[in-house]
Amino acid sequence: MMSWSRIFALLLALSFIFTFTVLKSTDILGFTFDKMKIKGSTPHENIQDTQNKFWINLKNPGNISNYKSVNYRLPLCNEIPPSLHTLTINTSIKVTFEKIIAENTNVQYGGHGKPESCQAHQKIAIVIPYRNREPHLKMWLYNMHPFLQKQQADYGIYVVEQSQNTTFNRAKLMNIGYTEALKDYDYNCFIFSDVDIIPMDLRNLYRCSKNPRHLANAVDKFDFRLPYETIFGGVVAFTKEQFLRVNGFSNDFWGWGGEDDELYNRVVAVGMKVERPKQHIARSKMIFHKRDAGNEKTGKSFHLISKAKQRMYQDGLSSLTYNVTEHIKHRLFTKITVDIGTL
Ligand code: BGN
């Protein structure tokens, strides 16, 4: 015969088990129990920084799901984050990776940041075409990590580097950034940015919208105006679907100029239009530099731009080929070095 105290203890245990099962299945506590096990860990904790540097060379990047973070039921962030204001950008100070890391401790390997107090509406990949511009990259990261965090963005930085010293192909690097970023995380917004453009106002939200957006429409180099109405260079934002719809950039623009004009024509050809933030908000600084070697004009742009509508479905994401030669998760960005062939 069981004593009353034993019966009571048994009932208590049963009710605990019952409550636990119900909470687990209904997720009442606001996060799933399996994920609770990794509460407090960062998505990147599995990566060992054995070389005591700021980066890891991933031999098999596909195996590391370093962006699958804890699914807290945070409230959605406000559409417009609080306390947005103009910024003073000083590009003459000296910055080091150590300094940027020290000032952005929330940023995780691969250059991934997200708001801590709320859930962002968009998952944003920032794609930067790159070759041999380390001082600019440091200046960009120094300014842009704080910028994106103040904008409460859930974002990752992708620096796509052309490995060969041959003619540069900005547009193809953008297409590669889009393709590679999607292997990391379910990004739904892509911001394609030059490494030398820094926004001067937090109200210039680096976000996607119903139409593709031109974010750098008031650059100091052009006296904070549009040099021509259809300009679409510097920094543009596309949702995943918008970029697919235009089949990305053309891969056939080697050397300086025109790939952005052609992209503009693609956008118009599929019936979308370009949106722009107001010019007093979109003020941006371009870091001064001379034209890079290997990025001369080739003189072929004009013809390609005029044929955008006819060519766009044969030339773009659908025809993209490249080889990744190095894939690095730096503390402040993901760097993907690629062999893209030559002109
Ligand atoms: C234009 C370039 C753009 C560039 C802007 C601003 C061309 C096409 C020539 C037929 N277009 O002249 O790519 O964004 O200047 O620098 O070169």
Side-chain angles (χ1 to χ4, degrees):
M1 187 66 189
M2 263 205 270
S3 69
W4 283 111
S5 59
R6 285 206 174 165
I7 292 172
F8 180 73
L10 191 68
L11 284 174
L12 199 67
L14 281 173
S15 67
F16 266 125
I17 293 168
F18 177 76
T19 316
F20 181 83
T21 318
V22 168
L23 287 179
K24 184 169 159 61
S25 61
T26 55
D27 197 14
I28 278 171
L29 292 184
F31 46 81
T32 58
F33 268 71
D34 350 356
K35 285 181 177 149
M36 195 170 120
K37 284 187 210 135
I38 54 164
K39 185 182 168 193
S41 75
T42 68
H44 295 287
E45 250 178 23
N46 290 337
I47 304 175
Q48 294 296 316
D49 193 356
T50 47
Q51 300 165 77
N52 201 20
K53 292 183 183 157
F54 322 124
W55 49 269
I56 303 118
N57 198 343
L58 298 182
K59 291 207 174 60
N60 195 354
N63 284 347
I64 296 191
S65 55
N66 45 334
Y67 283 86
K68 294 215 172 45
S69 45
V70 183
N71 176 27
Y72 293 104
R73 287 281 163 75
L74 291 171
L76 269 182
C77 299
N78 290 336
E79 290 275 357
I80 311 285
S83 319
L84 303 180
H85 51 80
T86 56
L87 298 165
T88 308
I89 308 294
N90 179 356
T91 52
S92 52
I93 55 169
K94 188 172 161 27
V95 292
T96 58
F97 284 135
E98 287 90 336
K99 181 178 166 71
I100 310 169
I101 291 168
E103 290 182 17
N104 294 277
T105 47
N106 290 339
V107 174
Q108 299 167 16
Y109 274 99
H112 182 53
K114 68 197 297 188
E116 286 182 339
S117 59
C118 60
Q119 204 181 318
H121 293 257
Q122 301 186 2
K123 293 176 180 167
I124 305 168
I126 319 257
V127 180
I128 300 176
Y130 182 81
R131 188 169 64 187
N132 197 20
R133 289 271 205 101
E134 196 169 294
H136 290 179
L137 180 60
K138 284 179 181 159
M139 189 51 67
W140 190 92
L141 293 163
Y142 176 70
N143 286 285
M144 294 309 288
H145 274 302
F147 179 91
L148 293 162
Q149 287 174 80
K150 283 182 199 139
Q151 289 195 347
Q152 298 186 321
D154 179 355
Y155 68 96
I157 310 286
Y158 292 82
V159 175
V160 190
E161 178 185 56
Q162 183 169 334
S163 65
Q164 308 102 313
N165 269 333
T166 48
T167 313
F168 198 61
N169 189 328
R170 174 182 185 267
K172 196 166 177 181
L173 297 175
M174 298 293 202
N175 284 345
I176 295 169
Y178 173 89
T179 310
E180 289 293 319
L182 282 173
K183 295 178 185 171
D184 267 353
Y185 195 43
D186 52 343
Y187 290 111
N188 49 23
C189 174
F190 291 80
I191 300 200
F192 300 99
S193 173
D194 286 340
V195 71
D196 52 9
I197 296 190
I198 298 170
M200 297 162 71
D201 196 316
L202 284 164
R203 292 171 299 172
N204 185 2
L205 287 176
Y206 269 41
R207 301 271 203 275
C208 289
S209 182
K210 288 196 188 70
N211 283 287
R213 304 179 67 220
H214 183 217
L215 299 176
N217 70 64
V219 179
D220 57 353
K221 181 183 166 185
F222 300 122
D223 207 12
F224 300 108
R225 288 190 207 123
L226 292 179
Y228 55 98
E229 192 45 45
T230 60
I231 189 169
F232 199 40
V235 188
V236 295
F238 282 74
T239 63
K240 182 181 166 192
E241 290 73 27
Q242 287 160 0
F243 201 62
L244 258 186
R245 207 166 146 201
V246 296
N247 198 19
F249 276 91
S250 160
N251 298 309
D252 290 344
F253 281 79
W254 298 87
W256 192 86
E259 77 294 338
D260 45 358
D261 300 317
E262 203 262 8
L263 184 66
Y264 183 94
N265 286 352
R266 289 180 181 223
V267 168
V268 174
V270 298
M272 296 190 290
K273 59 176 188 177
V274 166
E275 290 179 16
R276 294 195 173 104
K278 292 208 169 66
Q279 265 180 355
H280 71 279
I281 284 170
R283 289 165 74 88
S284 305
K285 197 171 186 69
M286 185 184 280
I287 307 172
F288 178 77
H289 61 96
K290 293 200 213 93
R291 177 78 46 85
D292 302 290
N295 198 20
E296 290 75 21
K297 284 189 180 189
T298 58
K300 294 186 180 142
S301 303
F302 184 76
H303 175 74
L304 288 173
I305 295 167
S306 65
K307 292 273 177 276
K309 197 172 178 178
Q310 293 91 311
R311 300 182 67 259
M312 61 184 283
Y313 295 112
Q314 280 77 53
D315 167 23
L317 290 172
S318 63
S319 63
L320 182 65
T321 56
Y322 60 95
N323 284 316
V324 175
T325 57
E326 196 173 53
H327 192 125
I328 282 172
K329 293 276 178 206
H330 187 285
R331 272 291 299 273
L332 298 168
F333 55 92
T334 295
K335 188 166 90 173
I336 301 163
T337 307
V338 282
D339 177 346
I340 60 168
T342 52
L343 171 63

